[in-house]
Amino acid sequence: MKINSLLAIVLLSSLCRASTASQPVTTSPAEVLRQCQTMYAALHSYSETANVTVHSPSGVVQQRIQLRVMKPNYLFISVTAEGGTREVCSNGKQFTVYAPSVNRYTMTQTAPTLPGVLKLLAAHAQMGTILNGLYFVAGGTLPHGVSNLRLVRTEQVKRHEFATVTAVILAGKSKLHAKSVDVNWTWFINTATHEIMRTDALSSPFTIIMPILSKSKGKMVGHSVKMHVEVHSTVVKAALNPSLLPSAFVIHMKPGAQRVGSLSAGR
């Protein structure tokens, strides 16, 4: 009887250990995101290489993004896609957008802090930020109107625990698209380091007006088309607080680069 009891205890202990390994213990989804936000906000510098796929009304675009950021207002982004490369740089004084394929650039005074630099990024480089590492390093927080926050699953990958968190940000609170729509977000997070390894965003359907040739009228007429925007960003490589100097935030332009208008004047 004692031997059987001992065997039962050993078996029970083994089952408990196996259960713990296959179903890692995690906190609430809100706490997981709060820990991510706190970790990134405390960084002085950050670098990242990511593969991004954007599905939009204009088609599917594959991008390779290299990012360096350092407080208070240094930023370098290189975006490579099928149409060429675009580089954006805030060197502490100027904010520059450069297109190597046409050897042209625009320049304006940069903002004193990263939140302002991200506004310049959207206004002058037409590059919005999703709710990822760069957004949180710049001190961004989850917008108001977050709903249906859920911890979808946890899993072990190469002895590291990962959590998948989803949420919906209601219309009027997301900057994913100029037209205000609900956006469904998904984050794949390393719960040990609090790093966001993948960010997905899917807008709810919205209607745009596209010009289509009308044979009966013999001219272009507006036609309503239902669309959505979908963004998938996967981090390939990242470094927390890498040793960066201001010299890392320089665009090396080709000889004869032409400045095309003043961004501050809106041209």
PDB file of all heavy atoms in Angstrom, residues 99-116:
ATOM      1  N   ALA A  99      15.030  59.566 -51.391  1.00  0.00           N
ATOM      2  CA  ALA A  99      14.701  58.499 -52.339  1.00  0.00           C
ATOM      3  C   ALA A  99      15.919  58.250 -53.220  1.00  0.00           C
ATOM      4  O   ALA A  99      16.177  59.012 -54.169  1.00  0.00           O
ATOM      5  CB  ALA A  99      13.499  58.887 -53.188  1.00  0.00           C
ATOM      6  N   PRO A 100      16.724  57.229 -52.945  1.00  0.00           N
ATOM      7  CA  PRO A 100      17.947  56.984 -53.720  1.00  0.00           C
ATOM      8  C   PRO A 100      17.695  56.727 -55.206  1.00  0.00           C
ATOM      9  O   PRO A 100      18.524  57.083 -56.048  1.00  0.00           O
ATOM     10  CB  PRO A 100      18.541  55.734 -53.046  1.00  0.00           C
ATOM     11  CG  PRO A 100      17.962  55.726 -51.675  1.00  0.00           C
ATOM     12  CD  PRO A 100      16.587  56.288 -51.826  1.00  0.00           C
ATOM     13  N   SER A 101      16.555  56.121 -55.551  1.00  0.00           N
ATOM     14  CA  SER A 101      16.295  55.773 -56.947  1.00  0.00           C
ATOM     15  C   SER A 101      16.224  56.996 -57.851  1.00  0.00           C
ATOM     16  O   SER A 101      16.606  56.951 -59.026  1.00  0.00           O
ATOM     17  CB  SER A 101      14.997  54.970 -57.064  1.00  0.00           C
ATOM     18  OG  SER A 101      13.905  55.732 -56.572  1.00  0.00           O
ATOM     19  N   VAL A 102      15.738  58.127 -57.305  1.00  0.00           N
ATOM     20  CA  VAL A 102      15.666  59.369 -58.086  1.00  0.00           C
ATOM     21  C   VAL A 102      16.649  60.410 -57.564  1.00  0.00           C
ATOM     22  O   VAL A 102      16.740  61.510 -58.108  1.00  0.00           O
ATOM     23  CB  VAL A 102      14.230  59.940 -58.079  1.00  0.00           C
ATOM     24  CG1 VAL A 102      13.289  59.006 -58.804  1.00  0.00           C
ATOM     25  CG2 VAL A 102      13.741  60.185 -56.642  1.00  0.00           C
ATOM     26  N   ASN A 103      17.391  60.041 -56.512  1.00  0.00           N
ATOM     27  CA  ASN A 103      18.399  60.915 -55.900  1.00  0.00           C
ATOM     28  C   ASN A 103      17.819  62.273 -55.518  1.00  0.00           C
ATOM     29  O   ASN A 103      18.406  63.324 -55.789  1.00  0.00           O
ATOM     30  CB  ASN A 103      19.595  61.097 -56.842  1.00  0.00           C
ATOM     31  CG  ASN A 103      20.868  61.476 -56.076  1.00  0.00           C
ATOM     32  OD1 ASN A 103      20.998  61.204 -54.884  1.00  0.00           O
ATOM     33  ND2 ASN A 103      21.806  62.117 -56.767  1.00  0.00           N
ATOM     34  N   ARG A 104      16.666  62.225 -54.840  1.00  0.00           N
ATOM     35  CA  ARG A 104      16.017  63.446 -54.378  1.00  0.00           C
ATOM     36  C   ARG A 104      15.706  63.325 -52.890  1.00  0.00           C
ATOM     37  O   ARG A 104      15.510  62.224 -52.383  1.00  0.00           O
ATOM     38  CB  ARG A 104      14.727  63.701 -55.158  1.00  0.00           C
ATOM     39  CG  ARG A 104      14.951  64.013 -56.624  1.00  0.00           C
ATOM     40  CD  ARG A 104      13.638  64.248 -57.328  1.00  0.00           C
ATOM     41  NE  ARG A 104      13.826  64.590 -58.738  1.00  0.00           N
ATOM     42  CZ  ARG A 104      12.841  64.819 -59.597  1.00  0.00           C
ATOM     43  NH1 ARG A 104      11.577  64.731 -59.182  1.00  0.00           N
ATOM     44  NH2 ARG A 104      13.097  65.123 -60.844  1.00  0.00           N
ATOM     45  N   TYR A 105      15.639  64.472 -52.244  1.00  0.00           N
ATOM     46  CA  TYR A 105      15.366  64.460 -50.814  1.00  0.00           C
ATOM     47  C   TYR A 105      14.579  65.706 -50.421  1.00  0.00           C
ATOM     48  O   TYR A 105      14.565  66.720 -51.120  1.00  0.00           O
ATOM     49  CB  TYR A 105      16.665  64.385 -50.007  1.00  0.00           C
ATOM     50  CG  TYR A 105      17.505  65.642 -50.046  1.00  0.00           C
ATOM     51  CD1 TYR A 105      17.440  66.588 -49.019  1.00  0.00           C
ATOM     52  CD2 TYR A 105      18.380  65.896 -51.107  1.00  0.00           C
ATOM     53  CE1 TYR A 105      18.216  67.744 -49.045  1.00  0.00           C
ATOM     54  CE2 TYR A 105      19.164  67.046 -51.140  1.00  0.00           C
ATOM     55  CZ  TYR A 105      19.074  67.960 -50.109  1.00  0.00           C
ATOM     56  OH  TYR A 105      19.836  69.106 -50.141  1.00  0.00           O
ATOM     57  N   THR A 106      13.921  65.595 -49.274  1.00  0.00           N
ATOM     58  CA  THR A 106      13.263  66.741 -48.643  1.00  0.00           C
ATOM     59  C   THR A 106      13.794  66.854 -47.226  1.00  0.00           C
ATOM     60  O   THR A 106      14.224  65.862 -46.627  1.00  0.00           O
ATOM     61  CB  THR A 106      11.737  66.573 -48.625  1.00  0.00           C
ATOM     62  OG1 THR A 106      11.410  65.338 -47.982  1.00  0.00           O
ATOM     63  CG2 THR A 106      11.164  66.581 -50.025  1.00  0.00           C
ATOM     64  N   MET A 107      13.766  68.052 -46.684  1.00  0.00           N
ATOM     65  CA  MET A 107      14.353  68.277 -45.367  1.00  0.00           C
ATOM     66  C   MET A 107      13.594  69.371 -44.628  1.00  0.00           C
ATOM     67  O   MET A 107      13.142  70.344 -45.224  1.00  0.00           O
ATOM     68  CB  MET A 107      15.823  68.675 -45.512  1.00  0.00           C
ATOM     69  CG  MET A 107      16.559  68.871 -44.192  1.00  0.00           C
ATOM     70  SD  MET A 107      18.290  69.414 -44.450  1.00  0.00           S
ATOM     71  CE  MET A 107      18.977  67.946 -45.209  1.00  0.00           C
ATOM     72  N   THR A 108      13.442  69.175 -43.331  1.00  0.00           N
ATOM     73  CA  THR A 108      12.855  70.187 -42.464  1.00  0.00           C
ATOM     74  C   THR A 108      13.476  70.058 -41.084  1.00  0.00           C
ATOM     75  O   THR A 108      14.209  69.097 -40.809  1.00  0.00           O
ATOM     76  CB  THR A 108      11.329  70.036 -42.373  1.00  0.00           C
ATOM     77  OG1 THR A 108      10.772  71.164 -41.698  1.00  0.00           O
ATOM     78  CG2 THR A 108      10.938  68.771 -41.635  1.00  0.00           C
ATOM     79  N   GLN A 109      13.188  70.995 -40.218  1.00  0.00           N
ATOM     80  CA  GLN A 109      13.687  70.916 -38.846  1.00  0.00           C
ATOM     81  C   GLN A 109      13.002  69.766 -38.130  1.00  0.00           C
ATOM     82  O   GLN A 109      11.799  69.559 -38.270  1.00  0.00           O
ATOM     83  CB  GLN A 109      13.413  72.229 -38.117  1.00  0.00           C
ATOM     84  CG  GLN A 109      13.946  72.270 -36.693  1.00  0.00           C
ATOM     85  CD  GLN A 109      13.705  73.621 -36.027  1.00  0.00           C
ATOM     86  OE1 GLN A 109      13.266  74.559 -36.668  1.00  0.00           O
ATOM     87  NE2 GLN A 109      13.988  73.706 -34.744  1.00  0.00           N
ATOM     88  N   THR A 110      13.776  69.016 -37.376  1.00  0.00           N
ATOM     89  CA  THR A 110      13.190  67.878 -36.675  1.00  0.00           C
ATOM     90  C   THR A 110      12.527  68.323 -35.380  1.00  0.00           C
ATOM     91  O   THR A 110      12.637  69.473 -34.953  1.00  0.00           O
ATOM     92  CB  THR A 110      14.251  66.800 -36.393  1.00  0.00           C
ATOM     93  OG1 THR A 110      13.585  65.582 -36.028  1.00  0.00           O
ATOM     94  CG2 THR A 110      15.188  67.215 -35.264  1.00  0.00           C
ATOM     95  N   ALA A 111      11.838  67.401 -34.755  1.00  0.00           N
ATOM     96  CA  ALA A 111      11.171  67.672 -33.472  1.00  0.00           C
ATOM     97  C   ALA A 111      12.144  67.383 -32.324  1.00  0.00           C
ATOM     98  O   ALA A 111      13.070  66.584 -32.475  1.00  0.00           O
ATOM     99  CB  ALA A 111       9.923  66.808 -33.344  1.00  0.00           C
ATOM    100  N   PRO A 112      11.941  67.998 -31.168  1.00  0.00           N
ATOM    101  CA  PRO A 112      12.873  67.806 -30.049  1.00  0.00           C
ATOM    102  C   PRO A 112      12.760  66.452 -29.361  1.00  0.00           C
ATOM    103  O   PRO A 112      13.683  66.038 -28.665  1.00  0.00           O
ATOM    104  CB  PRO A 112      12.503  68.944 -29.089  1.00  0.00           C
ATOM    105  CG  PRO A 112      11.073  69.257 -29.398  1.00  0.00           C
ATOM    106  CD  PRO A 112      10.922  69.024 -30.874  1.00  0.00           C
ATOM    107  N   THR A 113      11.637  65.763 -29.534  1.00  0.00           N
ATOM    108  CA  THR A 113      11.441  64.470 -28.883  1.00  0.00           C
ATOM    109  C   THR A 113      10.879  63.466 -29.877  1.00  0.00           C
ATOM    110  O   THR A 113      10.349  63.835 -30.935  1.00  0.00           O
ATOM    111  CB  THR A 113      10.479  64.582 -27.687  1.00  0.00           C
ATOM    112  OG1 THR A 113       9.206  65.061 -28.160  1.00  0.00           O
ATOM    113  CG2 THR A 113      11.023  65.538 -26.631  1.00  0.00           C
ATOM    114  N   LEU A 114      10.970  62.188 -29.536  1.00  0.00           N
ATOM    115  CA  LEU A 114      10.534  61.130 -30.444  1.00  0.00           C
ATOM    116  C   LEU A 114       9.045  61.184 -30.802  1.00  0.00           C
ATOM    117  O   LEU A 114       8.684  60.916 -31.949  1.00  0.00           O
ATOM    118  CB  LEU A 114      10.884  59.757 -29.864  1.00  0.00           C
ATOM    119  CG  LEU A 114      12.368  59.373 -29.932  1.00  0.00           C
ATOM    120  CD1 LEU A 114      12.598  58.033 -29.244  1.00  0.00           C
ATOM    121  CD2 LEU A 114      12.846  59.331 -31.377  1.00  0.00           C
ATOM    122  N   PRO A 115       8.136  61.511 -29.865  1.00  0.00           N
ATOM    123  CA  PRO A 115       6.733  61.613 -30.285  1.00  0.00           C
ATOM    124  C   PRO A 115       6.544  62.598 -31.439  1.00  0.00           C
ATOM    125  O   PRO A 115       5.785  62.345 -32.377  1.00  0.00           O
ATOM    126  CB  PRO A 115       6.021  62.077 -29.010  1.00  0.00           C
ATOM    127  CG  PRO A 115       6.854  61.542 -27.906  1.00  0.00           C
ATOM    128  CD  PRO A 115       8.269  61.664 -28.397  1.00  0.00           C
ATOM    129  N   GLY A 116       7.255  63.725 -31.375  1.00  0.00           N
ATOM    130  CA  GLY A 116       7.172  64.697 -32.465  1.00  0.00           C
ATOM    131  C   GLY A 116       7.798  64.183 -33.738  1.00  0.00           C
ATOM    132  O   GLY A 116       7.312  64.453 -34.851  1.00  0.00           O
TER     133      GLY A 116
END
